[in-house]
Amino acid sequence: MKFIKSLYLNNFFFYILLGIIGMFVCAFIFPNLYNSVWFIILVLSTFLGLDILLLYLSKGIEASRKTPEKLSNGDLNPIQITIKNSYTFPISIKIIDEIPFQFQVRDFKIKKTIPASTQKELGYDLRPTERGEYYFGNLNIYVSSPLKLISRRFTFDKDQMVPTYPSYIQLKKYDLLAFSNNLYQYGIKKIRRIGHTMEFEQIKEYVQGDDLRTINWKATAKKNSLMVNQFQDEKSQSVYMAIDKGRVMQMPFDGLSLLDYAINSTLVLSNVILKKQDKAGIFAFSKKVENRVFAERRSSQMQKILETLYNIKTDFFESDYSRLYVDIKKNINQRSLIILYTNFETMDGLNRQLPYLKGIAKNHLLVVVFFSNTELNAIINKKTDTVQEIYDKVIAEKFMFEKRLIANELKKYGIHSVLTQPENLTLDAINKYLEIKARGIL
């Protein structure tokens, strides 16, 4: 029974059968062909038996699927397949990997040829767009000999589960952003240092680019060369990232929801904050405040934050900012930097929540991060040919203008804001944090 289940007839075999049927039809017209057709059937049967012996009298192949320990949400994750050919002849293979249902890929297959007695590594990439558990099914490999009449199916690595976490791949990408001053010249760090904190670090020799206002004239006179005071950013300051997981964060962009973009950004920013010797904490809210990690600087803090972000789930309820205000007032006593990931589409939406935002900003430095609608850019930049398109363009420009009005309204009350596109969220959030550190306004 196992033999029958693993045996598959290839298309090449059926093409030959179609040819034989055609020859039988021709034999009605040319009777001399009749015996020749039966001879061809005998030859086909012989080669079919030989093909079965070639594929089944040997151990065959060994294969395995190697996945990352966890998948990174929103990023390309490499999946590697290793195949060892134990046959003494080259084989043709067709790989049908049963990838998780979340990807909704129904026609996945890879075709390759592997030389005799060799091992080959193949790979493909998967980009998950939601957190959670991803189950791989069977790794099916169909092997054909050079005769190509039949295939033998091999099955490996059944029911393999891989969890998908927030985008930890971006951690390495942005690791150096907070520390390398050389990044300024490449345009990666888009901030201008307006000042510095007054925490003195050391006196060093002047190099081109140092602030002339920091020259230490006494040390310069003693050394007979320009010496400058070097200052460092204050450390151990508390930074909280508040993630709105309500209805406004459900909007999709490039397969990911705004909520997942905020979660990915929070993970990367937490890493930068901890490496800058500050304390990182997070919490999420909608109908109530939950998924809380208090701001600390322990070695296990990043793992704690990662696990908490992984477990954020929501039904996208309407967010309750009054509860957010009360919770912050109750649980965060020390002045902290609070980076709020949310989204406002209209001034009316902002005005409903503005009293609570102003209340938070009285005791903390509040940064509101919200999103520009990239779909509107396509409408605005599109050439208009009809009256309807002109109306659409005017309305799109109105909405884009309202986003800028929201940023200006927040600024009036001393609330910082970051208006960003989803794909630039992580970089813009890091830049804003570094700017606040550089200006020493926390």
Side-chain angles (χ1 to χ4, degrees):
M1 194 66 178
K2 187 177 180 181
F3 165 76
I4 298 297
K5 285 186 176 180
S6 65
L7 178 63
Y8 290 82
L9 297 173
N10 288 341
N11 289 339
F12 182 55
F13 176 81
F14 290 107
Y15 294 151
I16 295 175
L17 282 184
L18 285 174
I20 290 173
I21 293 170
M23 293 180 70
F24 268 122
V25 172
C26 292
F28 282 100
I29 305 172
F30 307 102
N32 293 334
L33 281 177
Y34 187 75
N35 291 331
S36 299
V37 175
W38 279 108
F39 177 76
I40 292 172
I41 292 174
L42 178 63
V43 172
L44 177 62
S45 301
T46 302
F47 276 103
L48 181 62
L50 179 61
D51 206 2
I52 292 173
L53 291 175
L54 285 172
L55 290 177
Y56 281 89
L57 287 183
S58 174
K59 181 182 177 182
I61 64 169
E62 295 177 6
S64 62
R65 179 203 300 118
K66 184 179 179 182
T67 64
E69 183 180 344
K70 50 184 179 285
L71 300 179
S72 178
N73 193 25
D75 299 313
L76 290 176
N77 298 264
I79 310 297
Q80 190 177 68
I81 297 174
T82 303
I83 302 175
K84 182 180 179 182
N85 179 15
S86 300
Y87 290 110
T88 56
F89 51 84
I91 58 173
S92 299
I93 63 168
K94 180 170 70 173
I95 302 171
I96 299 181
D97 197 0
E98 297 175 2
I99 63 178
F101 73 88
Q102 288 94 332
F103 295 100
Q104 292 296 298
V105 177
R106 310 289 185 180
D107 56 351
F108 178 88
K109 59 185 173 183
I110 300 174
K111 293 183 178 180
K112 291 289 180 181
T113 300
I114 301 180
S117 303
T118 59
Q119 181 172 302
K120 195 162 190 176
E121 292 185 350
L122 308 170
Y124 61 93
D125 294 321
L126 291 178
R127 181 181 180 265
T129 55
E130 57 184 81
R131 290 163 288 116
E133 296 181 344
Y134 283 61
Y135 287 90
F136 287 82
N138 294 333
L139 173 60
N140 301 294
I141 301 179
Y142 297 83
V143 178
S144 299
S145 73
L147 297 177
K148 297 185 183 301
L149 294 175
I150 66 165
S151 293
R152 179 183 176 185
R153 185 181 73 172
F154 294 85
T155 302
F156 305 94
D157 295 341
K158 184 179 180 181
D159 297 332
Q160 183 180 4
M161 192 280 286
V162 184
T164 296
Y165 277 73
S167 180
Y168 62 87
I169 287 179
Q170 292 187 33
L171 290 180
K172 295 178 182 178
K173 180 179 177 182
Y174 294 109
D175 240 3
L176 293 176
L177 188 62
F179 309 102
S180 176
N181 288 329
N182 294 330
L183 292 178
Y184 286 110
Q185 58 187 315
Y186 298 115
I188 298 177
K189 195 183 290 185
K190 305 181 218 174
I191 66 171
R192 180 170 62 93
R193 285 184 172 265
I194 298 175
H196 52 69
T197 62
M198 297 309 293
E199 190 170 333
F200 177 77
E201 183 178 14
Q202 64 175 350
I203 299 174
K204 69 178 188 71
E205 287 191 13
Y206 173 84
V207 294
Q208 188 174 358
D210 284 338
D211 191 346
L212 295 176
R213 294 171 297 177
T214 63
I215 293 176
N216 188 319
W217 294 108
K218 287 185 179 180
T220 298
K222 287 181 182 180
K223 284 279 189 178
N224 200 26
S225 64
L226 281 176
M227 305 293 290
V228 294
N229 294 330
Q230 183 171 326
F231 300 88
Q232 65 178 357
D233 294 331
E234 292 183 17
K235 299 177 181 178
S236 297
Q237 295 177 309
S238 296
V239 182
Y240 282 92
M241 282 136 290
I243 303 173
D244 182 353
K245 57 180 186 177
R247 178 181 55 81
V248 296
M249 299 293 279
Q250 191 177 10
M251 184 183 296
F253 177 83
D254 196 20
L256 289 176
S257 66
L258 295 184
L259 174 62
D260 278 310
Y261 277 103
I263 288 172
N264 291 344
S265 174
T266 297
L267 180 65
V268 177
L269 184 54
S270 297
N271 186 52
V272 173
I273 290 167
L274 291 171
K275 292 198 172 183
K276 291 287 284 183
Q277 306 299 312
D278 281 335
K279 295 183 285 187
I282 67 166
F283 55 89
F285 72 99
S286 57
K287 293 175 72 175
K288 59 182 180 179
V289 179
E290 49 196 355
N291 306 109
R292 189 193 312 276
V293 177
F294 284 102
E296 292 178 340
R297 210 179 69 193
R298 297 180 180 177
S299 57
S300 61
Q301 189 73 350
M302 269 307 297
Q303 185 61 33
K304 197 173 180 181
I305 289 173
L306 178 60
E307 293 295 335
T308 303
L309 292 173
Y310 171 73
N311 289 310
I312 289 181
K313 295 179 174 61
T314 179
D315 292 325
F316 295 106
F317 293 114
E318 190 73 27
S319 298
D320 189 343
Y321 277 76
S322 63
R323 287 203 176 203
L324 173 67
Y325 167 71
V326 171
D327 188 271
I328 290 176
K329 193 171 182 64
K330 178 182 177 182
N331 293 298
I332 306 178
N333 300 319
Q334 179 185 359
R335 177 175 168 81
S336 305
L337 169 60
I338 297 177
I339 301 175
L340 172 61
Y341 292 95
T342 186
N343 197 31
F344 294 112
E345 290 292 341
T346 63
M347 283 294 296
D348 290 337
L350 172 67
N351 289 330
R352 285 196 298 270
Q353 315 301 346
L354 193 55
Y356 307 114
L357 297 179
K358 287 161 61 178
I360 295 170
K362 283 182 181 178
N363 301 312
H364 305 279
L365 181 61
L366 178 61
V367 177
V368 176
V369 181
F370 62 111
F371 300 88
S372 61
N373 192 330
T374 53
E375 296 295 327
L376 296 179
N377 290 332
I379 297 175
I380 292 172
N381 297 326
K382 182 182 176 182
K383 184 179 178 182
T384 54
D385 297 319
T386 64
V387 174
Q388 181 61 48
E389 288 177 345
I390 294 173
Y391 285 147
D392 292 342
K393 186 172 184 177
V394 170
I395 293 171
E397 288 176 343
K398 175 183 178 296
F399 276 113
M400 290 295 286
F401 179 70
E402 198 154 4
K403 288 279 188 178
R404 294 192 291 272
L405 284 180
I406 290 171
N408 289 332
E409 186 70 13
L410 291 169
K411 187 177 181 181
K412 280 167 52 178
Y413 299 101
I415 301 172
H416 295 256
S417 64
V418 177
L419 176 58
T420 181
Q421 296 180 359
E423 69 267 29
N424 298 327
L425 173 61
T426 300
L427 182 62
D428 289 342
I430 293 174
N431 283 332
K432 190 64 179 179
Y433 164 71
L434 295 176
E435 177 189 343
I436 288 170
K437 293 291 291 182
R439 295 173 62 185
I441 58 177
L442 176 55

